[in-house]
Structures are given as C-alpha cells and as structure tokens.
Amino acid sequence: EVQLVESGGGLVQPGGSLRLSCTASGFTFNSYAMSWVRQAPGKGLEWVSVISAGSGSIYYADSVKGRFTISRDNSKNTMYLQMNSLRVEDTAEYYCAKVRVGATVWDAFDIWGQGTIVTVYS
Amino acid sequence: EIVLTQSPGTLSLSPGERATLSCRASQSVNSIYLAWYQQKPGQAPRLLIYGASSRATGIPDRFSGSGSGTDFTLTISRLEPEDFAVYYCQQYGSSPRTFGPGTKVDIK
C-alpha cells in the first residue's frame, strides 16, 4: 500500500523551530518528487515547497522562503521540512504529498499523508 | 504569481443533481498543469483530475474536467452522498504552485 506518514508537529513559540518528517512506503521513493502543503485552521490549501527526486530542484512559497528548508534522505525514504523563525501565521496542518509522475516537479499531487499539526502560539 | 478564483463559494444541491464548479486564473494556464482535488472534513485532499481533464486513478466517471487558458470547470454529473465536500483547483505549471480558495458542495 502506498502511504505517507508525517510526524514532528507540535507547539512552539514564535521564533522557534521545528522539523517535520514524512516517511514513505509502498513506492520507489527515490523516483518521485515530493512536496509540502499546509492548511491553516478553517482555511484553504497553501502550497509550501517541492523537491525533486534527486534534490536538484527545490522551490518555495514566498511566505516561507528563507525560513523553511526542504530536504530528503532517499536511503531512509523520508522527506523533511526544517522550519525556523516560526510565526503565528505558520500555524496549520502540514501535509506531505507525492508528485504523480516521478521525473518532474511540475505535476499534480496524487498521494497525500494525513497531516501533522503545527501550532505557533504567543 | 497565478491567482486562482473559484465560484461559487458554496453550492447547495441535492443528491442526483449536476454540479458545475468554476476555476478562473489570473493569467493563462497550460491545461496540462491544472488539477482538481476533493477534501472532506478531517481528511487529506484527494486528487480527482489532472491535466485539466484526466481522471486520477480510481476516480468515478461522474467526475469530469474541462477548460483551457484561464477558465476551467469541474463537473459532477450526478451527485452521490459521498461527493459533498470542498473542491480545490490548483495550477502546477509555474512557481509558486497555487490553489484556489475552494468551493464547498453541500446538501440542499
């Protein structure tokens, strides 16, 4: 079964840091680009970042650029999101998602995890 | 940044009715880079349509997508009880990838 499991969410004060993990199973992880998408409470979806299969292509939303870093360890079938200088407005459920076709970052997201919640409180 | 606008914000329909959801882009989107997702309360989004009109794996044929340029449509031919949810369009052909604000389809 193809599965993505996020972990690492929690409570943090403004200015703090968290590292989210997304562990994949059921597919050849190192062949697919991966992404993070977040959803603030009661709001819509916001794309955060994407990383290609070999980590050669990385893109960020302007709202997180310079504060968040996406990475992956293909030997561990895991993607990460290092979140620094957190703000109240970063409070959201964070989903990891698999790109539909492996070779490109320019595709839709066909598999999603169940999400991990990040709360930044002052 | 390509801004996506979805209408209506809420669509109130009965089971068996046809639903037509609109997604309009602030600039032209290559249709191969337009997707639709369904999200139910407490669940992760699910990919329905990619490339504007191609159904994702396992998606029933009552879901169809169409459109080009700046105007795209998701049609649900006959609403089933499980189709009442929020629907988002997304463009993934330029960065930042952007989502529309969503259309909620609820039971009339």
Side-chain angles (χ1 to χ4, degrees):
Chain A
E1 180 191 4
V2 176
Q3 194 172 15
L4 299 172
V5 178
E6 302 94 337
S7 60
L11 298 171
V12 63
Q13 290 188 319
S17 298
L18 277 177
R19 189 177 82 155
L20 306 183
S21 299
C22 169
T23 302
S25 59
F27 65 97
T28 307
F29 181 73
N30 62 14
S31 294
Y32 291 89
M34 298 290 294
S35 189
W36 289 98
V37 177
R38 69 184 181 183
Q39 186 169 36
K43 303 298 184 182
L45 302 172
E46 181 188 13
W47 171 77
V48 173
S49 184
V50 67
I51 185 169
S52 63
S55 304
S57 292
I58 287 174
Y59 296 88
Y60 296 100
D62 286 347
S63 58
V64 306
K65 200 174 294 182
R67 301 187 299 122
F68 289 11
T69 302
I70 192 171
S71 63
R72 62 191 295 162
D73 184 339
N74 287 341
S75 69
K76 296 181 178 180
N77 286 357
T78 301
M79 175 180 65
Y80 303 99
L81 187 66
Q82 178 66 45
M83 305 186 296
N84 298 332
S85 303
L86 282 161
R87 305 168 179 167
V88 171
E89 55 266 34
D90 295 318
T91 294
E93 184 152 25
Y94 285 73
Y95 295 100
C96 66
K98 168 188 164 291
V99 167
R100 190 183 64 87
V101 173
T104 176
V105 297
W106 306 106
D107 207 336
F109 306 139
D110 66 340
I111 303 295
W112 296 64
Q114 283 304 302
T116 188
I117 295 174
V118 172
T119 304
V120 185
Y121 68 100
S122 56
Chain B
E1 172 176 328
I2 297 177
V3 176
L4 300 178
T5 304
Q6 291 185 242
S7 61
T10 301
L11 194 54
S12 297
L13 295 168
S14 301
E17 290 193 294
R18 181 185 187 90
T20 303
L21 287 66
S22 173
C23 175
R24 180 161 291 178
S26 61
Q27 55 188 279
S28 185
V29 173
N30 186 321
S31 60
I32 66 172
Y33 298 122
L34 194 287
W36 291 91
Y37 299 86
Q38 176 194 67
Q39 188 178 32
K40 298 178 182 179
Q43 296 185 16
R46 178 174 72 143
L47 176 66
L48 298 176
I49 300 288
Y50 63 92
S53 60
S54 297
R55 275 187 298 277
T57 302
I59 301 303
D61 61 6
R62 64 180 181 273
F63 291 92
S64 63
S66 63
S68 63
T70 60
D71 290 296
F72 298 89
T73 300
L74 174 70
T75 301
I76 310 170
S77 59
R78 293 172 311 279
L79 283 164
E80 297 288 341
E82 61 268 27
D83 298 337
F84 292 93
V86 179
Y87 293 83
Y88 296 94
C89 58
Q90 181 210 16
Q91 68 80 21
Y92 48 92
S94 66
S95 201
R97 290 124 178 90
T98 46
F99 290 92
T103 290
K104 182 179 182 179
V105 179
D106 66 14
I107 300 176
K108 188 174 181 181

